[in-house]
Amino acid sequence: MTRMPTKSEFKSIRRGFDANPARSMSLKADAYIDPSWFKADQELVIAKTWQWVCHVEKVREPGAFATFEIAGRPIAVVRDRDGVLRAFYNVCKHRAHELLRGEGQTTRIMCPYHAWVYRLDGQLVRAPHSESLESFEPEKICLDEVQVEEFCGFIYVNLDPKAPSLSSQTGELEMEIKHWAPDIDGLTFGHRLTYDIKSNWKNVVDNFLECYHCPTAHKDFCTLVDMDTYKVTTHGIYSSHMADAGQGANSAYDVSNATVKTHAVWWLRPTTCLMRYPGRSSMIVLNIIPVGPERTLETYDFFLETPEPNAAEKESIRYLDEVLQAEDIAIVESVQKGMSTPAFDQGRIVHDPEGSGKSEHAVHHFHGLVLDAYANCHG
């Protein structure tokens, strides 16, 4: 079984990091390659923060449910008969079998192993052949709930029962998102892209949080947006990445009939990115799923005005899939290999005090949040 880092390792992982990004080094390579730090990520970061799971449309009606895995733990999100949104560990209280699978509609939760039945609020109502059991009180048995919250049209869960609400941690983020995407609640799922990446999840986040690499690695993207207007602002547990669309023709995809003229991206600690690209009204959700020390899954969910992408959206999806993502995956997989050599321990954060997209201050902000989570283990 993989161990957690020791107290001295938790202390040493902070070396080189400075609260001032102009003086700071990056997070040390051990945090990206050592299995003990991946265990720390799962226990201290993923299991204690708000995790995106789906759009509200998936669990809008009473009886609707959807299942997920967070930090390796099975979770079910359910809308009960009274319309209350709930989330549970998707685990039967009898012998720990999975209760629900996939997504859909149901009037009850019945375990497929021994047919124990629970109401949609998690209360046990039937345990077959249990009449002769002593000191067995079904009314005292209920599925273990986890925190669940609807935020900007999406559903998030948090496995930490002591965690503050998402809304209390995000300040004016909801107002900001709804300013730029006022129709977000009414969008509908249109398409999903999935990727299996040979890289630690933090490398994937690092790469996403700066556009310092864009002029070199994403030449088409730099014609899609006006890089001179690209600004990155960090706040509490999120960062905003904003730019105007490019003024002329671009080599990414056609935006001649675009109704959305801005590139607006919000990264929400630790693994969710909400993106609004130039084009028709839409919202793309990038969900980063840590799987192992050097393996990450990614999903790109496109929420559109209609269930079917139009011609321009199909072209933008093709660009993101075949060009932009291909470029980024090659980058993070190369970085992961480099971090696994003796040639790299940590690198310098490049900081522009004006907050341009070519600055790494949002990467520094992310590293600070990760180190704060680590510090909570040993104080």
mmCIF file of all heavy atoms in Angstrom, residues 22 351-356 359 361:
data_model
loop_
_atom_site.group_PDB
_atom_site.id
_atom_site.type_symbol
_atom_site.label_atom_id
_atom_site.label_comp_id
_atom_site.label_asym_id
_atom_site.label_seq_id
_atom_site.Cartn_x
_atom_site.Cartn_y
_atom_site.Cartn_z
ATOM 1 N N ALA A 22 7.214 36.721 -8.070
ATOM 2 C CA ALA A 22 8.429 37.254 -8.691
ATOM 3 C C ALA A 22 9.697 36.683 -8.059
ATOM 4 O O ALA A 22 10.788 36.819 -8.618
ATOM 5 C CB ALA A 22 8.444 38.781 -8.589
ATOM 6 N N HIS A 351 6.970 35.765 -14.006
ATOM 7 C CA HIS A 351 5.882 36.620 -13.509
ATOM 8 C C HIS A 351 5.857 37.976 -14.194
ATOM 9 O O HIS A 351 6.875 38.672 -14.267
ATOM 10 C CB HIS A 351 6.035 36.823 -11.999
ATOM 11 C CG HIS A 351 4.999 37.732 -11.411
ATOM 12 N ND1 HIS A 351 5.311 38.874 -10.703
ATOM 13 C CD2 HIS A 351 3.644 37.673 -11.464
ATOM 14 C CE1 HIS A 351 4.194 39.466 -10.330
ATOM 15 N NE2 HIS A 351 3.179 38.767 -10.768
ATOM 16 N N ASP A 352 4.686 38.328 -14.712
ATOM 17 C CA ASP A 352 4.439 39.666 -15.254
ATOM 18 C C ASP A 352 3.492 40.375 -14.292
ATOM 19 O O ASP A 352 2.342 39.959 -14.135
ATOM 20 C CB ASP A 352 3.798 39.549 -16.639
ATOM 21 C CG ASP A 352 3.362 40.905 -17.206
ATOM 22 O OD1 ASP A 352 3.671 41.935 -16.578
ATOM 23 O OD2 ASP A 352 2.706 40.903 -18.260
ATOM 24 N N PRO A 353 3.928 41.434 -13.620
ATOM 25 C CA PRO A 353 3.054 42.111 -12.649
ATOM 26 C C PRO A 353 1.807 42.709 -13.277
ATOM 27 O O PRO A 353 0.840 43.019 -12.570
ATOM 28 C CB PRO A 353 3.960 43.199 -12.054
ATOM 29 C CG PRO A 353 5.081 43.366 -13.022
ATOM 30 C CD PRO A 353 5.269 42.043 -13.678
ATOM 31 N N GLU A 354 1.786 42.855 -14.615
ATOM 32 C CA GLU A 354 0.587 43.365 -15.282
ATOM 33 C C GLU A 354 -0.473 42.279 -15.465
ATOM 34 O O GLU A 354 -1.588 42.566 -15.902
ATOM 35 C CB GLU A 354 0.964 43.951 -16.648
ATOM 36 C CG GLU A 354 1.917 45.134 -16.571
ATOM 37 C CD GLU A 354 1.307 46.295 -15.806
ATOM 38 O OE1 GLU A 354 0.109 46.600 -16.029
ATOM 39 O OE2 GLU A 354 2.017 46.904 -14.980
ATOM 40 N N GLY A 355 -0.134 41.024 -15.177
ATOM 41 C CA GLY A 355 -1.122 39.946 -15.232
ATOM 42 C C GLY A 355 -1.445 39.461 -16.630
ATOM 43 O O GLY A 355 -2.562 38.986 -16.884
ATOM 44 N N SER A 356 -0.507 39.535 -17.548
ATOM 45 C CA SER A 356 -0.782 39.100 -18.910
ATOM 46 C C SER A 356 -0.888 37.584 -18.982
ATOM 47 O O SER A 356 -0.486 36.861 -18.064
ATOM 48 C CB SER A 356 0.327 39.573 -19.861
ATOM 49 O OG SER A 356 1.472 38.751 -19.742
ATOM 50 N N SER A 359 2.222 35.282 -18.435
ATOM 51 C CA SER A 359 2.769 35.205 -17.085
ATOM 52 C C SER A 359 2.339 33.888 -16.447
ATOM 53 O O SER A 359 1.317 33.310 -16.820
ATOM 54 C CB SER A 359 2.262 36.392 -16.261
ATOM 55 O OG SER A 359 2.612 36.257 -14.900
ATOM 56 N N HIS A 361 1.733 33.558 -13.125
ATOM 57 C CA HIS A 361 1.267 33.815 -11.764
ATOM 58 C C HIS A 361 0.083 32.949 -11.369
ATOM 59 O O HIS A 361 -0.109 32.630 -10.183
ATOM 60 C CB HIS A 361 0.929 35.291 -11.565
ATOM 61 C CG HIS A 361 -0.128 35.830 -12.475
ATOM 62 N ND1 HIS A 361 0.096 36.072 -13.818
ATOM 63 C CD2 HIS A 361 -1.421 36.177 -12.249
ATOM 64 C CE1 HIS A 361 -1.011 36.551 -14.365
ATOM 65 N NE2 HIS A 361 -1.947 36.613 -13.438
#
